Amino acid sequence: MRFLLLSGLGPANLNSPYLEGSLFTAHPSEAAREMLRRAGSADLSLGRLAFDQHGRRYALLRPRADTTPHLTTVTLLSILENSGHSFERLDLEDVWEGRAKAPAGDVDVVLLSTTYIWNGPILGSAVRWVRENLPGTRIVAGGQFTNLKFMAAMRDHPEIVAVVRGDGEIALPRTLDALAGRGELSAVPNLVWRDEENIRINPTEYVDIEEFPSPLVLGDQPIVPYESMRGCPFDCKFCSFPAASPKWRYKSAEKIRDDWISYADRNGADVISAMDSTFTIPPTRLRRLLEILPDSGVPRWEGFSRANTINSAELVAGLKAAHCFQLHIGFESMNDDTLKRMSKRVSVKQNRRAVELLSESELSYYGLFIVGYPGEDPGMFQDTQDYLLREYSGHFALSRFSITDETMPLWQDREELQIVADDPTDPASPWSHIGMNSAQAAQLYKETLDKVRLTNDKAVLSLWQHDYQHWLMPRHDFATNIAVEKCLERMSMAPVDHTDLDAGAAVIRDSLHRLQDHGVELAPA
């Protein structure tokens, strides 16, 4: 039998419209071009910004040479390679963009990953592509969405003949064997399957991720995604992940070290990207990692952390010595009542302490915040806005609260907080609660980004940088890089910030002068 794997990211980025009209876009507006002319830089393009290092000239905005592969895809490819089944692979991004082409020849079963699918209509788009391009082909689904919505998925789409729930290392190969006539679907753990007119749900089994081999990465891979745990010990109400993977398990520090060294030796990995929701727990494992990683030869690594883990200068120094170069931290809010509503289990004091410690180090970090969580009113969000305006330093991202899933634990507070959503499965759908509605959240979102961008010299919005290498000036310190990004941000957003052409031109001129102070100039056209 021949299988087709459909996996990849979801179809949308809700924050991208914020950059429209700026110099970050491919085609600046007529007003932007006039501003550049009045600034004396009519032929300016961001690609011409450059700096000299050791006698060589480098573009400031160097395209990102390598991107992090999708963890789910890496894991599935490893499972399929080890199982010995014949398969092709298509990226779901090609499906969303309308450029996917079915492979030549017969395909017996499509394996559809739903990890980056968040509602019924998106799942329907993927199923429709299969129906139109591979008519009559059966689908086996798996991943976060169908872990939770397997009954609805099978009810709405007769093409889906089975769903692998939870761990797939054992279940998926045995499912493919059974479909090929070498076994029974009834004997496959974690499987939901069609038995003529009936839906059968098989018992659940969990893989011992400490004993089971970690995914085999194929070929050279400069950046390797990594999963050190499954499930989560926390119960943040905006996250439905624990419901889909209810048993928390984690790999030992020694297994992590050995895996990372293996990826460096076998795949040439320069960077490990730990994709866990919180890599820096449990504390005993983190302490052991800080003991064994410094002299182990592991590549540089990044991961997600909780704020209360970052509690001392010694710990930050230990992370740096252990080859950590970047942390992503979900601060979410700077209002203790909102944090309690979220069941975040951290305090504003702990959030503030983490930023203070990291800002004094050479570790890169990204702070993540939310506007509009149920129960939060504009006055409560003001604490977060004020903090970003007056105290925060480093990269940050602000997300508008969205209801992506009707299984999110926050629905337990529906009556108390008067949570209403036009479509609880659509993150773009309007919503309201006792504190505000989605339109107010959108207004506060833009207002906050504008104010922080124009007021706080030490806080840089993390949005436009993803296409470029990080850091922009890697031989320079944290403060210099933040200052350079801030100049670039203000200059590029001038056409959005200023309706007065001369005022916008003045910002562009001033930003270019500031960039020159940091060694960044316009290279010849």
Side-chain angles (χ1 to χ4, degrees):
M1 295 185 72
R2 186 164 174 247
F3 302 95
L4 173 64
L5 174 62
L6 273 179
S7 65
L9 291 176
N13 179 351
L14 297 178
N15 287 328
S16 58
Y18 184 72
L19 300 178
E20 290 179 2
S22 74
L23 299 181
F24 288 121
T25 58
H27 304 289
S29 65
E30 184 175 336
R33 292 194 294 272
E34 178 60 19
M35 278 187 189
L36 291 173
R37 188 188 67 79
R38 296 189 186 193
S41 300
D43 59 348
L44 182 149
S45 69
L46 300 185
R48 287 180 53 204
L49 294 170
F51 63 95
D52 292 331
Q53 186 75 47
H54 299 312
R56 291 185 59 187
R57 175 156 288 189
Y58 294 89
L60 183 67
L61 298 181
R62 301 175 304 286
R64 190 180 291 268
D66 303 295
T67 57
T68 306
H70 306 142
L71 174 64
T72 302
T73 299
V74 167
T75 303
L76 288 170
L77 289 174
S78 178
I79 292 172
L80 292 171
E81 285 286 340
N82 288 329
S83 73
H85 291 92
S86 175
F87 69 95
E88 302 279 342
R89 192 235 159 181
L90 278 178
D91 196 314
L92 274 171
E93 181 180 347
D94 293 332
V95 173
W96 314 135
E97 298 295 329
R99 58 176 179 261
K101 296 186 181 300
D106 293 333
V107 171
D108 298 287
V109 177
V110 169
L111 309 177
L112 175 61
S113 168
T114 69
T115 296
Y116 292 99
I117 287 175
W118 56 78
N119 63 26
I122 298 174
L123 176 64
S125 295
V127 173
R128 185 166 54 253
W129 183 89
V130 175
R131 185 187 308 129
E132 292 173 354
N133 292 273
L134 297 165
T137 303
R138 295 171 293 175
I139 297 174
V140 174
Q144 174 76 359
F145 184 75
T146 47
N147 277 352
L148 294 168
K149 308 293 180 60
F150 56 91
M151 291 301 289
M154 297 185 76
R155 178 197 65 212
D156 296 340
H157 304 291
E159 295 91 345
I160 299 178
V161 297
V163 171
V164 176
R165 300 166 60 212
D167 299 341
E169 283 84 353
I170 294 172
L172 180 55
R174 288 178 61 178
T175 298
L176 304 187
D177 287 341
L179 292 173
R182 299 188 298 274
E184 299 293 333
L185 292 175
S186 59
V188 179
N190 305 345
L191 194 67
V192 180
W193 54 287
R194 292 188 190 276
D195 182 8
E196 296 182 351
E197 298 301 317
N198 299 312
I199 302 295
R200 306 293 186 190
I201 302 177
N202 293 351
T204 300
E205 294 182 8
Y206 294 97
V207 169
D208 185 338
I209 61 173
E210 174 70 11
E211 297 299 327
F212 205 89
S214 294
L216 177 69
V217 176
L218 307 177
D220 292 340
Q221 191 56 256
I223 305 175
V224 170
Y226 191 76
E227 177 188 45
S228 78
M229 64 181 64
R230 290 188 181 170
C232 182
F234 300 103
D235 59 352
C236 302
K237 291 191 174 182
F238 51 78
C239 177
S240 58
F241 184 77
S245 186
K247 184 177 180 179
W248 182 45
R249 299 151 284 158
Y250 55 89
K251 299 173 183 177
S252 68
E254 286 76 12
K255 182 177 178 67
I256 291 169
R257 175 199 59 198
D258 295 345
D259 284 345
W260 291 4
I261 291 173
S262 176
Y263 290 135
D265 292 342
R266 188 172 60 236
N267 305 105
D270 298 317
V271 172
I272 302 293
S273 184
M275 308 299 287
D276 311 291
S277 58
T278 308
F279 180 74
T280 54
I281 57 165
T284 51
R285 187 183 77 171
L286 178 60
R287 288 194 293 270
R288 182 61 178 154
L289 283 168
L290 299 189
E291 290 173 358
I292 66 176
L293 291 186
D295 299 318
S296 64
V298 298
R300 297 185 308 145
W301 59 273
E302 63 176 337
F304 289 80
S305 177
R306 293 174 62 80
N308 55 339
T309 301
I310 312 302
N311 55 20
S312 71
E314 291 74 21
L315 183 130
V316 174
L319 288 167
K320 180 73 174 175
H323 306 287
C324 175
F325 74 94
Q326 184 164 266
L327 291 175
H328 306 261
I329 304 178
F331 298 109
E332 321 305 358
S333 174
M334 296 303 287
N335 178 277
D336 279 321
D337 288 337
T338 299
L339 291 170
K340 289 177 183 177
R341 290 279 191 201
M342 294 175 173
S343 190
K344 184 66 181 178
R345 304 186 187 279
V346 297
S347 67
V348 168
K349 182 179 179 180
Q350 290 169 325
N351 282 350
R352 184 174 275 110
R353 177 64 172 154
V355 174
E356 289 172 353
L357 290 167
L358 289 169
S359 65
E360 294 168 357
S361 76
E362 285 300 307
L363 280 182
S364 175
Y365 60 95
Y366 287 79
L368 312 173
F369 298 87
I370 298 174
V371 54
Y373 183 82
E376 179 179 69
D377 59 34
M380 296 163 72
F381 177 71
Q382 190 68 47
D383 292 339
T384 300
Q385 187 183 92
D386 287 346
Y387 176 72
L388 289 171
L389 280 170
R390 299 169 185 168
E391 297 183 54
Y392 187 81
S393 62
H395 291 100
F396 77 97
L398 178 65
S399 298
R400 290 160 289 176
F401 170 74
S402 63
I403 297 174
T404 58
D405 193 332
E406 72 272 22
T407 63
M408 295 167 74
L410 62 86
W411 285 106
Q412 299 165 4
D413 302 324
R414 173 185 291 192
E415 292 187 7
E416 177 190 357
L417 302 181
Q418 301 174 27
I419 303 172
V420 178
D422 287 7
D423 182 353
T425 68
D426 182 1
S429 174
W431 51 260
S432 64
H433 53 69
I434 59 171
M436 67 178 79
N437 58 40
S438 52
Q440 290 172 297
Q443 181 179 351
L444 286 170
Y445 166 82
K446 184 178 186 306
E447 173 189 303
T448 303
L449 294 189
D450 290 346
K451 285 183 175 180
V452 174
R453 191 162 42 73
L454 295 169
T455 304
N456 187 340
D457 287 338
K458 296 182 179 180
V460 176
L461 175 63
S462 176
L463 187 59
W464 53 267
Q465 296 91 333
H466 302 305
D467 291 334
Y468 307 110
Q469 291 186 36
H470 177 78
W471 290 95
L472 297 184
M473 301 179 74
R475 300 289 181 180
H476 291 70
D477 61 14
F478 175 90
T480 299
N481 274 280
I482 287 293
V484 167
E485 288 190 30
K486 196 70 189 183
C487 290
L488 190 59
E489 182 183 82
R490 284 183 173 156
M491 178 178 71
S492 299
M493 296 297 287
V496 177
D497 294 331
H498 301 279
T499 55
D500 183 281
L501 297 177
D502 289 325
V507 169
I508 292 172
R509 280 195 303 271
D510 179 67
S511 297
L512 287 172
H513 289 148
R514 290 174 182 268
L515 286 170
Q516 285 180 336
D517 292 340
H518 294 293
V520 178
E521 298 185 347
L522 284 176

